[in-house]
Amino acid sequence: VMVAHKFDSQRYVVPKGVELAAGDLVVVDGDRGMNLGVVERLFNKAPHYKVENNVVRIASEQDCEALRQQRLDEEAVRLDVQALADTLAPKMNIRGIEYQFDRQKMTIFYSAPGVHVDFRRLQRVLYSRYGCRIWIKDYKGEVGEEDISNQSVTTSTSTHHHHAPHHHHTVPHAHPPKQPREDSKRRKSVAENM
């Protein structure tokens, strides 16, 4: 199954006996922890490569509420990170923040076209301030009219410079399933408004 996160998608193994549909909100294996995403696509065949991570379970209503709060927190963190970057790593434009769902990892997406950015000091300060692993990625994807940090729901401290995903996702139709579908209208509304 392909699961969309805030800025990218990844393939996961679905355990036997778990039935999923496109749009389902699921808890998945993360980077030394747990993450959450939306089922984007189902596959009939296994790929020709080994898929490392698994779908853990279908997200609960409590998970939906936690994700909504997380998205609000990410925007506040983005503003804080931008203020720090203005001092410690000038020329960095912080485009978005994504916490892993268990908040053990924070990925910061930035752009600085044509400029080499030394973000090591910033990374150390952020690790100290937020107490989680900090990944910083150069975001080279296309951005629409809105800054990607404003998009609705859709990682040991690393100094590696990762290439950003080529696209990002919003998740306007995510819903936590496995309640009677008629009974999940309120929960679907919660996910749609993230």
Side-chain angles (χ1 to χ4, degrees):
V1 66
M2 188 67 73
V3 174
H5 301 288
K6 191 173 180 181
F7 295 109
D8 63 1
S9 296
Q10 187 174 342
R11 200 158 179 167
Y12 294 87
V13 175
V14 180
K16 290 180 181 179
V18 175
E19 292 183 23
L20 298 175
D24 286 350
L25 204 57
V26 290
V27 176
V28 296
D29 291 334
D31 177 10
R32 292 181 274 170
M34 294 294 156
N35 209 353
L36 194 140
V38 177
V39 175
E40 186 175 60
R41 186 172 168 201
L42 303 166
F43 300 99
N44 294 327
K45 294 181 181 179
H48 299 291
Y49 56 90
K50 183 177 181 182
V51 177
E52 299 290 333
N53 296 320
N54 298 299
V55 170
V56 176
R57 61 181 169 81
I58 294 167
S60 67
E61 195 166 333
Q62 185 176 3
D63 295 328
C64 290
E65 294 298 328
L67 184 61
R68 184 192 337 235
Q69 184 60 51
Q70 181 173 307
R71 293 300 184 241
L72 293 172
D73 293 347
E74 287 168 350
E75 177 55 17
V77 169
R78 186 187 71 80
L79 296 173
D80 182 49
V81 172
Q82 184 63 67
L84 287 167
D86 290 345
T87 301
L88 300 173
K91 312 257 185 207
M92 274 182 90
N93 179 17
I94 307 303
R95 307 305 298 275
I97 301 287
E98 183 174 17
Y99 271 115
Q100 185 166 274
F101 189 59
D102 60 11
R103 296 198 185 213
Q104 297 301 305
K105 173 182 175 182
M106 177 196 304
T107 304
I108 298 164
F109 295 89
Y110 79 96
S111 63
V115 177
H116 172 75
V117 177
D118 183 351
F119 50 74
R120 292 173 293 182
R121 282 180 42 209
L122 174 64
Q123 192 171 38
R124 286 191 294 270
V125 170
L126 292 173
Y127 177 76
S128 176
R129 181 173 289 197
Y130 290 102
C132 63
R133 296 186 312 279
I134 304 293
W135 281 27
I136 299 178
K137 292 187 176 185
D138 185 357
Y139 186 84
K140 295 182 182 188
E142 293 182 13
V143 179
E145 292 178 12
E146 294 181 296
D147 189 323
I148 56 176
S149 63
N150 295 324
Q151 297 296 328
S152 57
V153 173
T154 28
T155 61
S156 80
T157 301
S158 172
T159 55
H160 295 288
H161 200 268
H162 297 280
H163 291 290
H166 298 296
H167 58 283
H168 64 280
H169 297 276
T170 59
V171 185
H173 303 295
H175 57 86
K178 304 312 173 208
Q179 293 287 329
R181 294 288 177 178
E182 310 80 44
D183 213 21
S184 67
K185 286 180 183 174
R186 188 180 75 77
R187 294 188 332 164
K188 181 175 182 181
S189 174
V190 167
E192 287 176 345
N193 291 314
M194 289 191 270

